[in-house]
Amino acid sequence: MRALIDPRSNRVCQVAEADFPVAEPLFWVDATPDIMPDSHTYADGQFVAPVVIDQPEAQPDPIAALTQQVADLTAALVAKGTIAQADISGEAVQLGAAQQVKS
């Protein structure tokens, strides 16, 4: 295998089985089959592998997690009979919380 190198950027432009005529300042060097064009570079007589940057792990949506926790807690309270299903509607919950604070 042969790699075509652009010395102005150290870029591996192409990999081929055999040389073919190219314009100056491009030149050919021996390469192994794992060398990839536009991925590897060539500096100081050696191929340099591309740098792989790990993508950050996706973080869960905190709002969705809290919403699920509230739903789970509400379901548990309804199951225990601590609150009635009717108390869960928007205004009833707000009024219930306000009445408990005033008490």
Side-chain angles (χ1 to χ4, degrees):
M1 298 295 294
R2 300 287 283 167
L4 180 61
I5 309 299
D6 183 345
R8 298 167 293 193
S9 62
N10 294 333
R11 183 173 76 97
V12 176
C13 303
Q14 186 170 345
V15 177
E17 290 293 326
D19 296 5
F20 54 83
V22 294
E24 296 267 338
L26 303 179
F27 64 93
W28 291 98
V29 295
D30 287 327
T32 57
D34 63 319
I35 302 303
M36 302 296 294
D38 295 319
S39 177
H40 286 81
T41 56
Y42 186 79
D44 300 323
Q46 295 186 347
F47 289 100
V48 179
V51 175
V52 178
I53 299 173
D54 292 333
Q55 295 295 326
E57 192 173 308
Q59 298 297 318
D61 179 10
I63 302 295
L66 288 174
T67 302
Q68 185 60 51
Q69 288 176 351
V70 168
D72 293 345
L73 179 59
T74 302
L77 291 173
V78 168
K80 286 186 175 183
T82 306
I83 61 172
Q85 186 69 35
D87 292 339
I88 301 172
S89 67
E91 287 185 31
V93 171
Q94 293 173 359
L95 290 173
Q99 289 171 354
Q100 288 178 359
V101 171
K102 290 180 184 177
S103 303

